[in-house]
Structures are given as C-alpha cells and as structure tokens.
Amino acid sequence: MLKEFYDQQPTWAPCVVEPVDLEGQDAGSQEATKKVLPTLECAKIKVPLNYKDPDGERLSLAISRLKAEDESKRKGVVLYNPGGPGGSGLPFPAAYRDSQFRDVYDVVSFDPRGVGRSSGLRCEVTPGLAPSNSRPTDAEFAAWAAEARAKEEACDRAGGGIRPYINTSNTARDMDIIRGVLGEKKINYLGTSYGTYLGAVYGTLFPQNLARSVLDSSVHPEWIWREQFKNQAVAARENVDAWAKWISERNESFGLGRTQQEVMGTIEKIAKRLDQEPLAVLGVKLLDRRTFDFALGYGARYRPQWQIAGWIVGALEWATRPGDASAPSEATTKDAAQAAKVLASLGIAETSKGVFDTVTCEVDWPRDLNTYYDDMRVYREKYPYGVGVGAAAPKACTFRSYSPDEWPPYVQRSGYQTGIVIQAEGDTQTRYDGGAAMAQRLRNQLVSVSDEGAHGLYGHNTCATDIVDAYFVDGVLPASRVTCAGDPRPNVPTDEDAALVAPLSPTGLEAKVRQFIADSKLEPLAMR
C-alpha cells in the first residue's frame, strides 16, 4: 500500500536556504540574508497524512542532501534531525560540509511534517495573558491557564484537520519513506535534543532499516513530555547552585558571600528588591525580577562566562542597595542591567508554528489544574531560575482539543547495532539524567561531557566530536562509559590562593556577554 511512496523519484535542485553552523543555530537570525548553496540539493516528496489510510490525503515533505566528498569511498547516508519538536532541518547538511563523516556519507535532512517548506501546520497568534512574573502569586495562576487554553483553541481553529497526525511516530515513518526514496537499504542517524527521541522511535519502528545512530543531548525516554519540561527548571537550579559555590570560593573577587548559602541569599535579596522596585535610571525601567531570574538561569549554565555572571550580579547587588549613597554610576548600572537582559534573551525563543504544541500533545497531560498549581508553588520557591515556574505551568496540551491518532511506542533497541548517546552535565534543555536513562534503555554507549552546560555537543566539544566521527566513519565504538571534559571555568583564583584579582564591577559587561554569545554561537532555543 505504501509502494508508490517508496518508489518516488525526486527531482533534485540547488537549495536556497539560510545557512546554519554546527551549533545548530540559524545564522540568518543575525544576518537575515539568504544565499544559494550550490552543493546543497533539495527536493519534494509526498507522504501519507494518515499511514492507516495511505490512499487518503497526502503531505508534501521537503528534503535536502549534501553529497559525500569522496564518492568512491561512499558508505551511505547520515540522516539528521535538529530537534524542536518542529525544528527545520533543511539547511543543516550544509553545516556538516567540513565534518569528517561527510567525506564518506551523504548528509541528508528534512523539514518534518508541519514544518517549514513541508506541508505546514499553522496556529493563530494569541495575546499573552499570563503576568510577566517569574514567581507568580496563587491569584495569578489562572491567567497562566487562560493563556494555555487560548493557545490550544487558536491551534484547533487553524490546524485541527491535520493535527492528530503530527506526531513522532508518523515523522519516523516519513523518515523511512525518505530512506526508500534515496534507495538506501539502511540509514545512519544523528539527532539532537527532540531528534534523539525521534531517532529512538525510528529504531523501535524500523530496527531492520537503521545502522549507526548518535543521539546528541537526549531526552529521557520516560519524561515524554511534561516531566521533560519540568526538569529543565531543575537543571537550571543545579547550575545556579554550582555557580554560587564557585563564586563563594572567590569572595575577595566578587563580594557576594563566603558560602554557597550566602551567595544564594544575596541573589534572593536582589530578586526581592527588583520585585519591589525594578531597577531604573532616569525613570526608565531597566531590569525586573523576571528578567533577573531568566538571566541567572542561563548565565549559570555556561561555565566559561561564570566570571562575567559574577560581575553582573555584583553590580546589580550594589545598584539595588536601598538608600546607598555610594551606588554605581548610571552608566555602570545600565551596563549591568543590559548585560543581564542579553543573558535572559537566551531563554526566550519562539516555538515553531503549531508543531511544538502538537507533537508534545501526543501523550496525555493532567487535566486537573490543581496538579499544575501545586507544582507552580514548589517551583516559584525552589526552581525560579531560567524557564522556572513556566516549566510547571499549564500548557496548550493541558486543554488538548483532539484525540491523538495513536500513542507513542515504548522505545527499545532490538535489531540494530549499538549506538552512542552524548550528554552534557549542565544542559538545561535536556537534563543530564535523560541521556543516561536513554543510554540505559537502548543499551547504548554513553559519552558524558562533565561540567558543561552546552546543548548539542557534536561540533562543539572536540572529544565528543572525535568519538562520533570515528564511529560513523570506521564503526569504532567508544567504551561503554566515557567522560569528556567540558569548556573550562574562568581562571579566577580562589580566596585561599590569591587576594583581590578583579574589580567588583568592571565596565563593558554587555559587550562581554554579547562577545561570549557570538564566540560560542549561542541562540535562544525551545526544548531542542
């Protein structure tokens, strides 16, 4: 019944896309320019909307490929998915033009059903109803629920016809159609974030068609999906705790406290002051508690800029002291506030148009709002940083207006070869425990990147990148458990080793943060 789909002969043509880099970020988001990448080819194929009724409606699927550098040594294809759910994969093969495995593999990717240049799922835009408060009161909880309900209703109005069929299992089936269209007996797979779960589902449904697989920054196989989001806030708190301990050991440099508890107390004093009176210069509001909580959560995850985060918090502590005549200059205060806002922006990302809030509804969410409200009370006290209380709040899936066409399978590895899971210790999008659990479930090798907050490690961490290249190119597996070192912490001596080594509030903090983001190629992400 699916033969006509597998037998398609796509027409390939040069792709016009926005280039991306190996961090998985859209370079066009900064330059907003498109260019033709002659070596990147694109095509369109069709897939069934409903695999239970392949003679029914169809969807269009956009696919792309970058051919192997050495055709004489070509081993097959590596299919890539960047995550999301709902991330566009179309431009990504071009990001791998300099990767070692590209020498012997075609790199292939696609816009999943509902995304980008494939048949799109669109939702109407809804106004924001939830208060701008990272630690909402009980009286404000209902507004969070109202916003989630409005979002679901907007998606139901605009995309109700195809939404029941936008799910991980159908996307995995689409991947197998791509395999057939490419004429490959088996595919190799590389997936990041949500793409790890997609790869695990593909291996479960089509074990005979999967060869080597790498799951980079993996979701937890049992946290689909609400627990996955809740653990993002837990991971953010773990990073803040680690940063506070590091800062406390360098009180002579930062002046924020001599113990982790004292540093956390300083943070909470700043948060309380910002809640009572947002930081302002000449009547212009610069920083409120919500932005501060966001900034701390995302500033603490990236170890190389812990020193910058310490300077920012130090300047804000000074600027928010009530009635302090020695407060820093307006320029210094504004600089620190702007630097915090730039850090906070790393956690504010647009989700894809409808797909994120559909794929994550492929399982049941609690319907009782009190379940969310109870969690929100805990999170506003214990996990307010980064995504914070929003991780526990009601989502569109709480009010899902349709019944899924099917439930996700129990992921397992049976019939395809041992793969690799790569996981960073401080990743806030996919908490470390998720990767360890996925490796255990699939009986895969686990590569842990210690003391690292990055998300998406291939191309970022040299040790992990070398392991992946050796696996794809030569089939060499690492040991069952391997630890790679993450990016180093700043070289600031502890109080025991040196006296004051840096001013409490240096100038140019905003510029330093922006430079770090540019150098590290960081951009806002959703769950990916």
Side-chain angles (χ1 to χ4, degrees):
M1 296 175 65
L2 295 174
K3 187 175 186 299
E4 68 166 297
F5 299 100
Y6 281 95
D7 289 345
Q8 295 176 83
Q9 299 295 318
T11 300
W12 295 95
C15 246
V16 180
V17 296
E18 292 181 355
V20 295
D21 57 51
L22 278 183
E23 299 302 315
Q25 308 311 323
D26 185 351
S29 65
Q30 296 181 7
E31 300 176 4
T33 57
K34 294 183 178 181
K35 67 179 182 181
V36 177
L37 301 175
T39 55
L40 185 62
E41 300 176 307
C42 287
K44 288 282 188 78
I45 62 173
K46 58 187 178 183
V47 295
L49 170 64
N50 179 3
Y51 276 87
K52 297 175 183 176
D53 181 22
D55 294 327
E57 297 98 329
R58 284 90 187 278
L59 297 176
S60 175
L61 210 66
I63 58 178
S64 62
R65 72 178 179 187
L66 183 68
K67 288 188 175 180
E69 185 73 19
D70 190 341
E71 284 288 332
S72 67
K73 298 179 180 178
R74 183 182 179 277
K75 295 176 180 286
V77 303
V78 171
L79 183 64
Y80 176 72
N81 179 270
S88 169
L90 210 63
F92 275 85
Y96 292 92
R97 64 175 68 247
D98 297 323
S99 296
Q100 288 187 27
F101 70 78
R102 185 248 165 158
D103 289 345
V104 294
Y105 288 101
D106 294 350
V107 184
V108 178
S109 194
F110 64 109
D111 280 355
R113 53 175 54 209
V115 177
R117 297 186 190 179
S118 296
S119 295
L121 172 62
R122 299 290 183 266
C123 292
E124 295 178 7
V125 177
T126 58
L129 301 176
S132 179
N133 187 354
S134 55
R135 308 183 192 195
T137 64
D138 284 17
E140 293 173 322
F141 289 171
W144 288 74
E147 182 173 302
R149 185 189 296 274
K151 199 170 186 179
E152 170 60 23
E153 291 173 349
C155 273
D156 183 55
R157 288 192 298 269
I162 67 172
R163 287 184 79 208
Y165 308 102
I166 305 295
N167 57 46
T168 304
S169 294
N170 278 337
T171 301
R173 295 182 182 107
D174 294 344
M175 287 167 52
D176 204 57
I177 297 290
I178 293 173
R179 177 198 59 77
V181 166
L182 294 174
E184 299 292 331
K185 184 177 180 180
K186 293 187 177 186
I187 61 169
N188 303 278
Y189 182 78
L190 172 60
T192 303
S193 197
Y194 165 74
T196 62
Y197 181 66
L198 175 60
V201 169
Y202 179 81
T204 300
L205 297 180
F206 300 97
Q208 72 280 7
N209 297 337
L210 181 59
R212 299 166 187 168
S213 61
V214 174
L215 309 183
D216 184 352
S217 305
S218 181
V219 302
H220 195 299
E222 296 178 1
W223 290 350
I224 312 300
W225 284 110
R226 185 169 182 253
E227 286 300 316
Q228 183 66 42
F229 301 137
K230 287 173 63 179
N231 271 276
Q232 292 177 342
V234 175
R237 176 58 193 261
E238 290 171 344
N239 284 332
V240 172
D241 285 344
W243 171 82
K245 184 177 186 298
W246 184 84
I247 289 289
S248 72
E249 295 166 349
R250 294 157 177 82
N251 188 59
E252 293 298 325
S253 296
F254 300 103
L256 298 176
R258 296 188 180 279
T259 66
Q260 181 188 60
Q261 186 176 8
E262 287 182 1
V263 174
M264 294 303 297
T266 300
I267 288 169
E268 289 307 299
K269 286 180 183 178
I270 298 171
K272 183 177 181 179
R273 293 168 188 165
L274 290 173
D275 181 45
Q276 295 170 344
E277 184 179 357
L279 189 62
V281 170
L282 298 178
V284 178
K285 187 174 82 170
L286 297 177
L287 192 72
D288 58 16
R289 183 177 64 180
R290 174 180 179 272
T291 305
F292 177 70
D293 282 341
F294 261 101
L296 195 61
Y298 290 95
R301 70 179 291 188
Y302 299 111
R303 274 59 173 167
Q305 62 94 59
W306 271 6
Q307 182 178 19
I308 300 173
W311 285 335
I312 292 171
V313 173
L316 294 177
E317 191 279 328
W318 190 11
T320 56
R321 292 174 190 171
D324 190 339
S326 66
S329 67
E330 293 176 356
T332 299
T333 297
K334 185 176 181 180
D335 180 40
Q338 289 297 114
K341 290 170 73 172
V342 173
L343 279 177
S345 70
L346 289 173
I348 304 172
E350 292 186 7
T351 57
S352 56
K353 296 180 175 66
V355 173
F356 188 94
D357 290 317
T358 299
V359 171
T360 53
C361 294
E362 64 189 353
V363 295
D364 287 338
W365 286 56
R367 289 286 184 171
D368 184 357
L369 289 177
N370 287 319
T371 299
Y372 300 91
Y373 297 164
D374 288 345
D375 286 342
M376 290 171 76
R377 292 184 183 98
V378 173
Y379 274 57
R380 72 184 175 196
E381 298 296 328
K382 192 173 182 179
Y383 308 114
Y385 312 114
V387 65
V389 73
K395 300 288 192 296
C397 299
T398 306
F399 305 97
R400 190 183 62 204
S401 55
Y402 65 95
S403 296
D405 181 57
E406 61 183 313
W407 304 112
Y410 179 88
V411 298
Q412 57 187 324
R413 184 175 65 83
S414 177
Y416 65 96
Q417 67 190 71
T418 304
I420 299 173
V421 175
I422 311 172
Q423 205 75 9
E425 183 180 13
D427 186 348
T428 57
Q429 268 105 341
T430 52
R431 188 172 170 230
Y432 176 82
D433 290 11
M438 183 66 85
Q440 182 177 3
R441 172 73 68 84
L442 299 182
R443 305 187 315 284
N444 278 348
Q445 316 297 82
L446 176 63
V447 176
S448 303
V449 182
S450 64
D451 202 29
E452 173 63 70
H455 181 72
L457 296 157
Y458 182 81
H460 174 84
N461 181 273
T462 301
C463 170
T465 300
D466 289 345
I467 288 171
V468 171
D469 285 335
Y471 171 66
F472 274 143
V473 175
D474 297 316
V476 177
L477 282 167
S480 59
R481 294 293 183 268
V482 175
T483 299
C484 293
D487 287 341
R489 299 178 180 188
N491 185 23
V492 180
T494 65
D495 292 345
E496 294 181 357
D497 296 331
L500 184 66
V501 296
L504 178 63
S505 178
T507 58
L509 291 175
E510 181 184 0
K512 287 180 173 65
V513 172
R514 290 190 182 279
Q515 188 62 54
F516 172 79
I517 290 173
D519 291 344
S520 303
K521 301 175 183 177
L522 301 176
E523 287 286 346
L525 295 171
M527 192 264 297
R528 298 178 281 185

